Amino acid sequence: MQILTIPTTPISGQKPGTSGLRKKTSVFQSRHYLENFAQSIIDATGGAERRTFVVGGDGRYFNDRAAQVILRMLAANGARRAIVGQGAVLSTPAASHLIRLNGTDGGFILSASHNPGGKDADFGLKFNMPNGGPAPEAVTEAIYARTQTITDYRVLEATDVDLAKIGEQELGKMQVSVVDPVADYAALMESLFDFPKMRTLFSKGFRMRFDAMCAVTGPYAVEILERRLGAAPGTVTHATPLPDFGGMHPDPNPTWAHELMAEMMDPGAPDFGAASDGDGDRNMVVGQGIYVSPSDSLAVLAANVHLAPAYRGGLKGIARSMPTSGAADRVAEALGVQAHETPTGWKFFGNLLDDGRATICGEESFGTGSDHVREKDGLWAVLLWLNILAERSETVQEIMKGHWSHFGRNYYSRHDYEALPTEVAATIMDGLRARLGDLPGTAVAGLTVEGADDFAYLDPVDGSRSTAQGLRLRFTDGSRCVLRASGTGTEGATLRLYLERFVPGPGGLDQEVQQALAPVIEAAEALTALKKLSGRNGPDVVT
Ligand code: G16
């Protein structure tokens, strides 16, 4: 087998966003596109010589072909071993676990996460570090810099590896270990939670619905929920992963997981509902007749995590992304543990977890996780909820109400304006940014602006600084709104407006969310002119 060195030239736009490089599938399939980016990852992270990597993805269209290319490139670049999920499939948290479990030098994760999949949809690639977490900004910038100077890439001339067959194979001088994508991950979950107690819960007739949205979590959820915990067969729906996710938009939020929402709001609803996304790192949790916002879910999980065996010793700290509501901060305060506020992107939690400053992390974008891996983990969050439900013998509704009456309620919602023309989004962001200094003291819609800034983060562990992470407007009554451009879209620009209002209770804890937020929504429009300047009547997605 011959190692080929293929001359190439830089391709513009290979700049990783919030989580790796995401583009239209056809862009990834275009000449040298994948190869340039993969070689740039290899070059910018010190080469592949004698190293071991994990390779896998969410099974979307082009996943299998891209995995074969990356394997041939790793072999040509001198890698010692690649650990690959059977069929080139691995959920993102399972990939993170394999990287850590095997002490590897990192992993290539093929996914555009919650973005739709298919020939005309999205594809993505990201590199995770030896700690199992997404490459930090310094590394993604080095990768991007390399894409701008690349002159050639190396690839082995070889036939495909048989990725359907579990076991050892050789690709040139590289060992390829094809592994069961579910087994190690399921064992990890079993080591964290009280499976016997959860089995008892199901044996007493507890009913659950898990919507895998035709994405990667199906086989993981069937194995863990139905086979190991004894949930009724059929508990997991849309359980077979499909290259185009069956046309579903595998983003577990009330808009895209509407089938689950409808079932859970029905009088005959199961006791507990959950959904996961394309690559299995996101989760949405719903009780009978009650939707749990991701920010609240983080707070409730943090307040109750000691009920699960692996966390009995308590938490080192709680970390949340800046746009996530402050509900988790109140729990941190009550527990007397550190609270961290980071920019959006799971990569910012890595240092805090590695350094023992946080045990549990979460984001408003349906991400929750802990120090068991270095990615957010959809099924982990669902299992922790189940463990808590089994311990407390209360409904989701009772748990939420109890939490709010104890800590107060951070009403919270996110309004997304998707696929705006980039210049329109820039005008809106730049306009607000330019006025930040003048806004304090401004009275609008019955609220008064107390502070306004562009969020910047100083990493307490490595001292790196990240700027321009979202425009924050804080009001004197403690409410706030944040305006931020998404870094995961592939079409135009998506603007996210995050809205929050705190009600301490005891009264006012049962309001409809959008109604409770009405003054903040009105003030946000007056200050950002989002609807007016975008020409939209309202958001495309409300979470
Ligand atoms: C990714 C990141 C998350 C981030 C989310 C939203 O999620 O991993 O940390 O919160 O994007 O990012 P944005 O608001 O920039 O679109 P995923 O599930 O897509 O990997």
Side-chain angles (χ1 to χ4, degrees), residues 18-19 22 112-115 126 277 279 281-282 344-347 363-365 376 414 484-489 496 498:
T18 309
S19 183
R22 291 187 193 169
S113 194
H114 59 284
N115 297 22
K126 70 170 172 172
D277 71 331
D279 63 333
D281 56 2
R282 294 185 174 205
T344 295
W346 205 261
K347 59 192 172 200
E363 297 186 285
E364 54 65 41
S365 56
K376 54 191 188 281
R414 191 182 88 198
R484 187 185 153 264
S486 156
T488 56
R496 306 200 195 282
Y498 309 84

Side-chain angles (χ1 to χ4, degrees), residues 19 22 54 56-60 63 88-100 107-114 124-128 132-134 181 185 188 215-217 220 276-282 346 372-379:
S19 183
R22 291 187 193 169
V54 167
D58 60 18
R60 69 179 61 219
N63 183 90
V89 169
L90 284 173
S91 78
T92 293
S96 180
H97 179 50
L98 282 182
I99 293 170
R100 296 165 65 76
F108 291 77
I109 302 183
L110 302 151
S111 171
S113 194
H114 59 284
L125 172 60
K126 70 170 172 172
F127 183 73
N128 277 31
Y185 177 83
L188 174 67
V216 78
T217 333
Y220 294 84
S276 193
D277 71 331
D279 63 333
D281 56 2
R282 294 185 174 205
W346 205 261
H372 68 290
V373 289
R374 292 295 180 275
E375 287 280 1
K376 54 191 188 281
D377 188 343
L379 253 181

Side-chain angles (χ1 to χ4, degrees), residues 424-506:
V424 170
T427 306
I428 297 169
M429 290 297 289
D430 294 346
L432 182 61
R433 190 177 288 112
R435 287 168 44 228
L436 288 175
D438 303 332
L439 291 180
T442 308
V444 58
L447 300 176
T448 306
V449 179
E450 188 177 70
D453 67 354
D454 193 346
F455 180 58
Y457 177 65
L458 181 67
D459 186 303
V461 180
D462 66 15
S464 60
R465 201 175 144 77
S466 305
T467 54
Q469 296 294 327
L471 307 178
R472 303 193 286 190
L473 305 176
R474 214 176 53 250
F475 301 100
T476 49
D477 72 340
S479 305
R480 68 167 190 162
C481 71
V482 173
L483 187 66
R484 187 185 153 264
S486 156
T488 56
T490 58
E491 244 178 87
T494 290
L495 289 184
R496 306 200 195 282
L497 179 68
Y498 309 84
L499 305 143
E500 178 175 2
R501 185 181 148 221
F502 179 64
V503 174

Side-chain angles (χ1 to χ4, degrees), residues 348-538:
F348 292 101
F349 294 135
N351 278 347
L352 301 173
L353 293 166
D354 286 348
D355 201 50
R357 291 172 191 245
T359 304
I360 185 166
C361 309
E363 297 186 285
E364 54 65 41
S365 56
F366 299 83
T368 342
S370 85
D371 56 3
H372 68 290
V373 289
R374 292 295 180 275
E375 287 280 1
K376 54 191 188 281
D377 188 343
L379 253 181
W380 170 89
V382 172
L383 291 169
L384 178 51
W385 261 101
L386 275 174
N387 201 147
I388 293 165
L389 289 165
E391 283 287 342
R392 289 187 46 168
S393 306
E394 284 171 282
T395 64
V396 174
Q397 200 92 221
E398 286 161 351
I399 288 178
M400 292 315 300
K401 294 204 163 151
H403 187 91
W404 293 328
S405 66
H406 186 78
F407 291 99
R409 182 169 179 184
N410 290 69
Y411 284 97
Y412 186 84
S413 181
R414 191 182 88 198
H415 292 189
D416 290 344
Y417 291 74
E418 294 185 337
L420 296 171
T422 35
E423 30 339 312
V424 170
T427 306
I428 297 169
M429 290 297 289
D430 294 346
L432 182 61
R433 190 177 288 112
R435 287 168 44 228
L436 288 175
D438 303 332
L439 291 180
T442 308
V444 58
L447 300 176
T448 306
V449 179
E450 188 177 70
D453 67 354
D454 193 346
F455 180 58
Y457 177 65
L458 181 67
D459 186 303
V461 180
D462 66 15
S464 60
R465 201 175 144 77
S466 305
T467 54
Q469 296 294 327
L471 307 178
R472 303 193 286 190
L473 305 176
R474 214 176 53 250
F475 301 100
T476 49
D477 72 340
S479 305
R480 68 167 190 162
C481 71
V482 173
L483 187 66
R484 187 185 153 264
S486 156
T488 56
T490 58
E491 244 178 87
T494 290
L495 289 184
R496 306 200 195 282
L497 179 68
Y498 309 84
L499 305 143
E500 178 175 2
R501 185 181 148 221
F502 179 64
V503 174
L509 296 176
D510 276 324
Q511 302 174 60
E512 195 280 319
V513 176
Q514 301 302 319
Q515 247 157 36
L517 289 170
V520 193
I521 295 171
E522 199 184 325
E525 177 58 25
L527 294 165
T528 65
L530 189 48
K531 279 197 233 173
K532 196 166 140 216
L533 294 174
S534 66
R536 301 270 174 93
N537 292 327

